[in-house]
Amino acid sequence: MASLIRFNKPTLLRRDMDAVLQTMVDEKIGPGEKKREFVKNFSLYIGCKDGIALRTYPDAIRFSLKALGFSSGDKIAISVFSPEIVYSVLSDYGLDVMIVDSSKTSPIDEERLAGLKDEGLKGIYLFDPYGFLPEDSEAFSNLSLPIIEDISESLGSYYEEGPKAGSFGSVIVTSFEERSLVSTAGGSGVFSRKDEIVSKLKEESRKSGKYTDMPDLNAALGNIQLIKLDETLAIRREMVKAYQASLMQGEAKPFLPKTSSFVANGYAFPLIVEGKSEDAIDFAKKNGVAVEKSFTEAVGYRYRENYNLYPNANAALSRSLSFPLYPMLRRQELDIIEKVIRHIGG
């Protein structure tokens, strides 16, 4: 049997490696000028004033909580699609974490959030899974609660004449891991549009910067990835269009919003199959394509057998599969993937 089409492959070119090698030649691999340059450029890209670049994703979550003044015992809401690690960090911080179902137009139910506010909710951790943004930004602004928006998977997604990734949060968090659209081969960032929050982030960073700041070696890779981000997004979006056309000929259902005004970033292509997801995975494998369950790392995955607990999200949690989607795919490989999408799991 021919080798499987890999599920993911880093979008690394020779120029990316040259930037990292130059940092090594300059003998400045720790936190320094490259890190500051990366923070400045990324802040500008997402429309923020400034921020900090850190070594780990949990660090970014903790720093965002400190900057917004969360205290032990405060209630914070997260989407059922949020990564398990988010739940763990928030819980370890001492917060009372409320897991909230999705709605038809948002990864976290806006009406349920309004009810929780009446019960003492202090804030929201808004994770945008696979680029799925809430359609109604006004519903969130009307809550008048601090929002930490996590754009680790949604950078570059937007609604035409509507919100875009990063437009909801008082604080913006993102990871820069291997699968991220901008990868530093490990790391994270926290950003804000508000001067007072930026000042608090900088102060927290100064306290532990020697041990938490992103090294220049990683930031150098992030800088070059950011330069080509628009080019990368354009390629991914064209692939999404091709996959969507194939999906229209099949029976599986899209996970991402169906509205024509939504422009996905192409982080991944999740769809919901009928029947057992394991059967669909086997079908894809027999046809040469590696696919993965979409939400095995989500906090809600542990509840997927309890159909009544999170009814809106349940189908995605239990039967959503994601397909290979990255610029390094060859045309022949794309043809195979599109064929599988047309026939899988209907």
Side-chain angles (χ1 to χ4, degrees), residues 29-314:
I29 62 175
E33 185 57 37
K34 294 294 184 183
K35 183 210 67 173
R36 289 189 287 272
E37 179 185 350
F38 180 55
V39 168
K40 177 183 176 181
N41 292 338
F42 195 87
S43 298
L44 288 172
Y45 190 89
I46 63 174
C48 285
K49 288 195 172 182
D50 206 347
I52 55 176
L54 303 165
R55 298 189 184 196
T56 75
Y57 184 45
D59 281 339
I61 299 171
R62 284 190 289 268
F63 276 50
S64 67
L65 295 171
K66 291 180 180 180
L68 290 176
F70 281 96
S71 301
S72 179
D74 286 347
K75 290 185 178 181
I76 189 168
I78 67 170
S79 165
V80 68
F81 294 122
S82 300
E84 187 79 48
I85 184 63
V86 170
Y87 178 86
S88 295
V89 174
L90 297 179
S91 297
D92 290 345
Y93 196 84
L95 302 182
D96 183 2
V97 185
M98 320 295 287
I99 304 173
V100 180
D101 200 2
S102 61
S103 69
K104 291 182 179 180
T105 59
S106 173
I108 186 167
D109 190 330
E110 308 94 320
E111 292 186 8
R112 177 59 180 145
L113 291 175
L116 287 174
K117 184 180 180 183
D118 294 336
E119 299 172 20
L121 187 68
K122 296 297 185 181
I124 303 164
Y125 193 99
L126 176 61
F127 181 82
D128 307 323
Y130 295 105
F132 180 12
L133 303 175
E135 188 173 353
D136 184 5
S137 59
E138 187 175 341
F140 286 83
S141 60
N142 288 341
L143 291 170
S144 299
L145 288 170
I147 298 174
I148 301 170
E149 185 180 1
D150 192 324
I151 62 170
S152 296
E153 297 182 1
S154 63
L155 176 64
S157 287
Y158 64 92
Y159 289 92
E160 296 175 350
E161 308 298 327
K164 65 178 182 178
S167 63
F168 293 86
S170 308
V171 170
I172 311 301
V173 167
T174 184
S175 67
F176 297 120
E177 297 294 330
E178 180 180 351
R179 289 190 180 183
S180 300
L181 291 170
V182 173
S183 174
T184 61
S188 63
V190 193
F191 306 88
S192 182
R193 299 176 186 84
K194 300 180 178 181
D195 289 330
E196 64 272 22
I197 295 178
V198 169
S199 295
K200 290 178 182 178
L201 289 171
K202 297 283 188 181
E203 178 59 29
E204 290 298 330
S205 179
R206 279 192 289 271
K207 291 177 183 177
S208 57
K210 179 179 178 181
Y211 304 100
T212 60
D213 279 4
M214 178 184 289
D216 273 9
L217 196 64
N218 298 83
L221 177 58
N223 278 321
I224 197 69
Q225 291 250 305
L226 187 57
I227 288 171
K228 66 178 184 180
L229 178 56
D230 287 341
E231 175 187 339
T232 300
L233 288 171
I235 296 171
R236 286 177 176 270
R237 286 170 181 151
E238 286 303 311
M239 295 167 68
V240 168
K241 289 180 182 178
Y243 287 5
Q244 288 174 332
S246 298
L247 181 59
M248 291 176 65
Q249 301 173 46
E251 297 182 20
K253 298 178 177 62
F255 167 74
L256 294 174
K258 298 179 183 179
T259 175
S260 59
S261 67
F262 178 69
V263 180
N265 60 1
Y267 176 83
F269 190 74
L271 58 83
I272 302 170
V273 300
E274 297 296 332
K276 294 182 178 180
S277 57
E278 289 78 8
D279 292 341
I281 292 172
D282 288 342
F283 173 81
K285 185 176 181 180
K286 289 177 181 177
N287 286 273
V289 180
V291 301
E292 293 185 358
K293 293 183 179 181
S294 301
F295 292 107
T296 55
E297 296 182 0
V299 66
Y301 190 72
R302 61 174 107 158
Y303 303 112
R304 68 191 183 283
E305 301 299 332
N306 190 335
Y307 302 103
N308 297 320
L309 192 56
Y310 301 105
N312 294 329
N314 186 266

Side-chain angles (χ1 to χ4, degrees), residues 1-14:
M1 178 181 175
S3 60
L4 287 175
I5 297 172
R6 286 177 54 176
F7 179 77
N8 188 64
K9 184 183 293 186
T11 308
L12 296 176
L13 303 175
R14 177 61 182 268

Side-chain angles (χ1 to χ4, degrees), residues 14 16-30 34 216-218 220:
R14 177 61 182 268
D16 301 352
M17 293 298 97
D18 287 345
V20 177
L21 289 172
Q22 185 60 52
T23 304
M24 296 176 69
V25 170
D26 292 342
E27 297 181 348
K28 297 179 180 178
I29 62 175
K34 294 294 184 183
D216 273 9
L217 196 64
N218 298 83

